[in-house]
């Protein structure tokens, strides 16, 4: 497909079109809806990781002033079965994890609802639980597939023969912990029934998909459900599918015959909104003395719940990154008494790239080779497993440009060599990759009486600037100024659109918006609409990915072993950049999350109680401004006409996928100590 020429709006650093509304408090979020006759909901959670509810004594709670209803498995309306067992709330007496919702209290005030929830008497019959992931778990199995529609395993060539022929082999095991998304805006919903129709205001990354799921749960035609999510205060994947709070709000409103507002507390988000699964990953790499890879193996172990099978695609990035005739990747899953993991920024690619890129660094050290050059030597001319031509691949250019900008040539020659004052200084590098997805979407555009244009699409702006870049795409397609375009989104009543996830929002929604706008210009009328369902098939012959290179400098205190990331630099090849201002923000945000993954973030599991102990932002640490001293995001010009009419690739996730490895590799450079389990903590380095 031909990429549309820029007409002025695309490529400009346009300020966010909704920025003023946000700073003035005019942007509406789900919890801020306040219909008349409103009830507040409070969730009662199980204190056991595996149990059966034997009794719910609700008389005491209902006797409190203002308390109207208590719902539990014994009196809640029946829901239709769906694939996501997490959504079958209050349908069974079985408890599958600690923190699972076992009751819902509805009251006239939030205070009354929470008071009653705390007093509700629920009896349980506990059972022994199993919450610990290990690579020798007796229940490990190979699922039928992994997230994203990928095959569970892949085998190319003869891996064992390849290792036998290698001059150097590294065989390492890496581990990543449970990570929680912790968006700024807690998950919240306001549900209201009008006869048999449901209107649900929810903090959602995809109103069209949520409408379909909620409708199925309640046995409704999707036309009778409307999901509205005009603004979302972050999600990182945790709002990509409906969560139990939305179903509970709808159930409560149905029983009460009144609107219900339900917001999860920060602590409840650790149980009811998904998380990144912990992983155990074995990486084996075999190479010739010149660095040429002859064997690659990546085995990943992760966990899911007994309510739903979710397998993170941890090893799939290894299928893409480097050349090598003999290769094998596998995924194995353990079903434990835990909540169901789900999407978190770059699910699969993020932890998988950490292990692979740390392994590549270890191989470079064993070979005595520059890790930048090792990656360049093994850059594949085509997809190394399916043989498809790249739509574009400029990883080598990113590595070379990043090395020059960063001053890589001046890196310490050997680990622990450079000491300045109290600091041991190290440099690290890692590559980044993320697939370029595109999903079908619909859009409409109308020419208003005043000469402006209104574009409508059920997209979601979760803080990424989607409204702004869609405005720019529409303006160029309409051959007008961005100020003449208004974009309406965040409502399932608008033309259907896919989820804000997988870094595919701009490419998917923008294609539909562009097509509708060009149809209006070409048709000469005052309105037009478009559907890109058929257009997506043209992309199949190509392997489409964004690539990048991350460089990190760390200072490790020689006495306390405290690690400080003093410089972090990324160079990316992500197609045409629609808006450099919002793009840089997204890339820096991803890199900052990667810094947190490397040094801070971890949900700490208490095996006895089967739950995470640090369920707040005091115990679950994320980077603050003082932790990000010098962070830069750059990109190279990349023209790719095999993607979408804009020539864009996703940027929401490429920034995170290489950062943790670059920092871990820099820590090794500084100290000579290789830490293979994240996050890197002081006690790992004190020896």
């Amino acid at each position: 497909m031909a990429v549309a020429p820029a007409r002025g709006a695309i490529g400009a650093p346009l300020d966010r079109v909704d920025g003023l509304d946000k700073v003035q408090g005019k942007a509406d979020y789900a919890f801020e809806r306040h219909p008349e006759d409103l009830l507040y909901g409070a969730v009662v959670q199980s204190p056991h990781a595996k149990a059966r509810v034997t009794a719910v004594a609700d008389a005491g709670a209902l006797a409190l002033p203002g308390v109207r209803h208590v719902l539990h498995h014994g009196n809640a309306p029946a829901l239709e079965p769906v694939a996501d067992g997490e959504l079958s709330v209050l349908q069974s007496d079985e408890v599958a994890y600690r923190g699972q919702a076992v009751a819902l209290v509805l009251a006239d005030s939030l205070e009354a609802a929470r008071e009653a929830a705390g007093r509700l008497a629920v009896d349980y019959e506990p059972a022994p639980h199993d919450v610990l992931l290990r690579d020798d778990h007796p229940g490990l199995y190979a699922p039928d597939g992994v997230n994203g529609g990928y095959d569970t395993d892949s085998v190319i060539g003869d891996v064992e023969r390849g290792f036998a022929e290698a001059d150097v082999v590294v065989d390492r095991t890496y581990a990543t912990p449970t990570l929680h998304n912790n968006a700024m805006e807690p998950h919240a919903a306001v549900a209201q029934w009008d006869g048999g129709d449901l209107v649900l205001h929810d903090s959602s990354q995809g109103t069209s998909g949520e409408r379909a799921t909620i409708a199925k749960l309640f046995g409704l035609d999707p036309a009778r459900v409307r999901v509205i999510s005009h603004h979302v205060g972050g999600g990182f994947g945790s709002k990509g599918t409906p969560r139990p709070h939305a179903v509970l709000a709808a159930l409560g409103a149905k029983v009460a015959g009144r609107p219900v507002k339900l917001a999860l507390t920060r602590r409840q988000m650790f149980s009811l909104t998904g998380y990144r699964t912990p992983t155990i990953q074995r990486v084996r790499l075999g190479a010739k003395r010149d660095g040429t890879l002859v064997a690659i193996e990546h085995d990943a172990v992760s966990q899911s719940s007994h309510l739903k099978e979710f397998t993170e695609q941890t090893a799939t990035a290894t299928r893409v990154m480097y050349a090598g005739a003999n290769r094998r990747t596998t995924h194995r899953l353990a079903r434990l008494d835990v909540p169901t993991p789900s999407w978190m920024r770059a699910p699969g690619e993020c932890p998988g790239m950490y292990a692979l890129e740390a392994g590549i660094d270890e191989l470079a050290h064993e070979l005595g080779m520059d890790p930048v050059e090792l990656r360049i030597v093994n850059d594949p001319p085509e997809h190394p497993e399916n043989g498809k031509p790249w739509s574009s691949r400029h990883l080598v250019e990113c590595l070379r440009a990043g090395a020059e900008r960063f001053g890589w040539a001046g890196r310490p020659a050997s680990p622990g060599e450079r000491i300045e004052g109290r600091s041991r200084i190290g440099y690290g590098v890692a590559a980044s990759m993320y697939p370029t997805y595109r999903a079908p979407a619909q859009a409409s555009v109308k020419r208003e009486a005043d000469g402006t244009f209104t574009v409508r699409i059920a997209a979601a702006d979760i803080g990424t600037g989607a409204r702004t870049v869609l405005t720019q795409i529409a303006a160029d397609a309409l051959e007008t100024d961005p100020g003449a375009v208004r974009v309406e989104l965040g409502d399932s009543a608008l033309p259907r659109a896919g989820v804000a996830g997988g870094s595919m929002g701009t490419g998917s929604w923008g294609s539909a918006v562009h097509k509708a706008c060009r149809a209006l210009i070409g048709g000469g009328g005052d309105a037009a609409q478009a559907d890109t369902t058929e257009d997506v098939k043209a992309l199949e012959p190509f392997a489409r990915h964004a690539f990048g290179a991350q460089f990190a400098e760390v200072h490790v205190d020689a006495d306390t072993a405290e690690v400080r990331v003093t410089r972090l630099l990324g160079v990316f090849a992500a197609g045409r950049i629609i808006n450099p201002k919002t793009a840089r923000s997204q890339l820096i945000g991803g890199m900052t999350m990667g810094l947190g993954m490397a040094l801070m973030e971890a949900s700490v599991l208490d095996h006895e109680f089967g739950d995470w102990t640090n369920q707040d932002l005091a115990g679950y640490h994320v980077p603050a401004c003082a932790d990000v001293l010098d962070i830069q995001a750059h990109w190279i010009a990349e023209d790719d006409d095999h993607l979408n009419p804009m020539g864009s690739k996703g940027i929401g996730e490429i920034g995170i996928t290489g950062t943790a490895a670059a920092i871990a590799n820099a820590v090794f450079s500084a100290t000579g100590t290789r830490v293979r389990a994240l996050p890197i903590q002081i006690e790992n380095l004190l020896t």
Side-chain angles (χ1 to χ4, degrees):
M1 72 186 66
V3 175
R7 293 185 172 86
I10 290 180
L14 184 67
D15 290 343
R16 292 175 185 256
V17 297
D18 55 355
L20 191 60
D21 283 346
K22 287 186 174 181
V23 299
Q24 292 181 339
K26 296 178 180 179
D28 59 317
Y29 294 82
F31 189 75
E32 296 172 330
R33 307 299 301 182
H34 198 82
E36 294 183 2
D37 206 25
L38 179 69
L39 291 176
Y40 290 85
V43 180
V44 179
Q45 297 174 278
S46 168
H48 304 286
K50 187 176 183 180
R52 185 173 65 85
V53 177
T54 57
V56 179
D58 56 10
L62 288 169
L64 293 173
V67 177
R68 304 301 178 186
H69 301 274
V70 174
L71 278 68
H72 51 82
H73 74 277
N75 63 9
L79 296 170
E80 297 295 325
V82 294
D84 188 348
E86 286 276 4
L87 301 182
S88 296
V89 292
L90 309 185
Q91 300 297 294
S92 168
D93 61 356
E94 297 294 324
V95 172
Y97 61 87
R98 182 179 168 99
Q100 183 176 340
V102 296
L104 175 68
V105 175
L106 302 177
D108 293 336
S109 69
L110 178 59
E111 294 78 9
R114 289 186 174 176
E115 175 71 13
R119 293 194 186 189
L120 187 68
V122 182
D123 294 333
Y124 301 88
E125 183 181 285
H129 59 255
D130 178 13
V131 297
L132 180 62
L133 180 67
R134 60 185 198 271
D135 56 7
D136 62 348
H137 193 284
L140 284 177
Y141 70 98
D144 292 336
V146 300
N147 183 52
Y150 295 103
D151 291 337
T152 303
D153 300 343
S154 69
V155 180
I156 306 291
D158 187 331
V159 174
E160 295 307 326
R161 185 182 67 186
F163 283 116
E165 295 174 351
D167 296 323
V168 176
V169 175
V170 296
D171 185 347
R172 305 289 188 264
T173 298
Y174 303 91
T176 60
T178 299
L179 300 173
H180 278 86
N181 306 53
N182 273 310
M184 185 181 295
E185 176 203 20
H187 294 60
V190 179
Q192 186 170 8
W193 291 85
D194 182 5
D197 296 340
L198 172 64
V199 176
L200 184 66
H201 290 264
D202 190 17
S203 46
S204 172
Q205 292 178 226
T207 58
S208 296
E210 180 163 352
R211 175 180 65 177
T213 301
I214 295 294
K216 186 173 182 180
L217 272 167
F218 286 89
L220 298 173
D221 185 296
R224 303 191 68 179
V225 176
R226 184 180 180 188
V227 179
I228 301 172
S229 185
H230 290 150
H231 295 89
V232 182
F236 311 111
S238 68
K239 299 173 183 176
T241 59
R243 297 299 181 189
H245 73 279
V247 184
L248 287 168
L251 273 176
K254 190 175 185 67
V255 169
R258 296 168 59 180
V260 166
K261 177 183 290 191
L262 175 60
L264 298 182
T265 65
R266 180 65 60 180
R267 293 182 64 86
Q268 289 172 337
M269 288 169 62
F270 279 77
S271 302
L272 297 171
T273 67
Y275 58 94
R276 194 192 299 282
T277 175
T279 69
I280 303 169
Q281 305 176 56
R282 182 189 183 192
V283 174
R284 281 205 299 169
L285 302 170
K288 295 295 187 180
R289 283 290 173 193
D290 64 357
T292 303
L293 284 165
V294 293
I296 303 171
E297 183 176 36
H298 190 169
D299 303 314
V301 173
S302 62
Q303 73 185 33
S304 194
S305 71
H306 290 291
L307 293 177
K308 177 184 177 182
E309 180 184 274
F310 177 88
T311 310
E312 188 139 310
Q313 69 275 28
T314 310
T316 57
T318 300
R319 302 173 186 175
V320 174
M321 284 305 299
Y322 302 113
N326 307 292
R327 47 205 307 129
R328 177 168 61 217
T329 63
T330 69
H331 297 84
R332 297 296 179 264
L333 188 67
R335 305 287 287 271
L336 305 177
D337 301 313
V338 295
T340 308
S342 187
W343 304 331
M344 183 173 176
R345 199 173 199 162
E349 288 83 6
C350 178
M353 284 291 287
Y354 156 68
L356 174 64
E357 292 300 297
I360 290 288
D361 196 73
E362 297 211 43
L363 178 61
H365 180 69
E366 293 294 326
L367 289 166
M369 189 173 181
D370 181 344
V372 169
E373 291 305 316
L374 177 60
R375 290 171 170 86
I376 292 173
V377 164
N378 290 286
D379 191 59
E382 59 188 16
H383 192 293
E385 297 205 0
N386 64 30
K388 289 184 178 181
W390 305 110
S391 67
S392 57
R393 178 180 171 115
H394 293 99
L395 174 58
V396 171
E397 290 86 343
C398 290
L399 286 163
R400 294 203 187 282
E404 182 177 355
R405 284 180 176 272
F406 189 76
W408 180 252
R411 71 190 187 283
S414 58
E417 175 188 80
R418 182 172 298 174
I419 301 176
E420 295 181 6
R422 293 167 49 90
S423 296
R424 298 181 182 273
I425 299 173
Y427 285 12
V429 63
S432 302
M433 184 283 296
Y434 197 77
T436 298
Y437 298 117
R438 180 172 158 189
Q442 299 172 340
S444 68
V445 59
K446 179 183 178 183
R447 190 195 312 268
E448 305 293 351
D450 61 359
T452 63
F453 300 87
T454 301
V455 174
R456 295 181 172 90
I457 183 170
D461 192 330
I462 61 173
T464 57
R467 273 187 183 83
T468 306
V469 296
L470 291 178
T471 298
Q472 293 174 269
I473 292 168
D476 272 11
L478 292 166
E479 303 176 15
T480 190
D481 186 83
V485 176
R486 184 169 65 95
V487 174
E488 294 182 2
L489 49 72
D491 189 335
S492 66
L494 298 173
R496 175 179 52 81
V499 67
S503 295
M504 61 182 172
T506 299
S508 303
W509 310 327
S511 296
V513 168
H514 173 88
K515 188 175 183 179
C517 291
R518 294 310 296 167
L520 184 145
I521 295 298
D526 290 329
Q529 55 188 9
D531 188 327
T532 64
T533 301
E534 294 300 317
D535 304 340
V536 182
K537 297 177 181 178
L539 306 175
E540 294 175 0
F542 295 94
R544 304 175 312 281
H545 300 77
F547 292 94
Q550 312 269 39
F551 293 82
E553 177 187 87
V554 302
H555 286 216
V556 182
D557 191 285
D559 299 316
T560 67
E562 179 187 10
V563 180
R564 298 285 285 167
V565 178
T566 49
R567 287 194 297 145
L568 193 58
L569 181 144
V571 177
F572 304 95
R576 180 191 288 179
I577 300 301
I578 305 297
N579 184 322
K581 183 176 292 187
T582 57
R584 182 169 283 107
S585 176
Q586 283 295 292
L587 294 170
I588 288 177
M591 294 164 71
T592 302
M593 280 187 73
L595 187 156
M597 177 183 177
L599 300 179
M600 304 171 190
E601 292 191 47
S603 299
V604 181
L605 183 68
D606 185 309
H607 300 162
E608 180 178 355
F609 294 102
D611 201 1
W612 294 285
T613 61
N614 52 334
Q615 297 181 358
D616 54 47
L617 294 181
Y620 186 96
H621 293 171
V622 297
C625 291
D627 299 304
V628 186
L629 300 182
D630 181 359
I631 182 167
Q632 298 180 33
H634 306 275
W635 48 83
I636 64 174
E638 187 175 61
D639 294 322
D640 189 334
D641 59 359
H642 303 298
L643 303 169
N644 52 58
M646 301 78 64
S648 66
K649 296 180 179 179
I651 55 174
E653 289 158 295
I654 183 79
I656 194 176
T657 57
T659 306
I663 293 171
N665 296 339
V667 169
F668 171 73
S669 169
T671 65
T673 299
R674 183 74 69 175
V675 181
R676 300 186 179 95
L678 297 183
I680 298 170
Q681 298 175 319
I682 288 175
E683 52 265 36
N684 303 136
L685 303 174
L686 283 175
T687 56

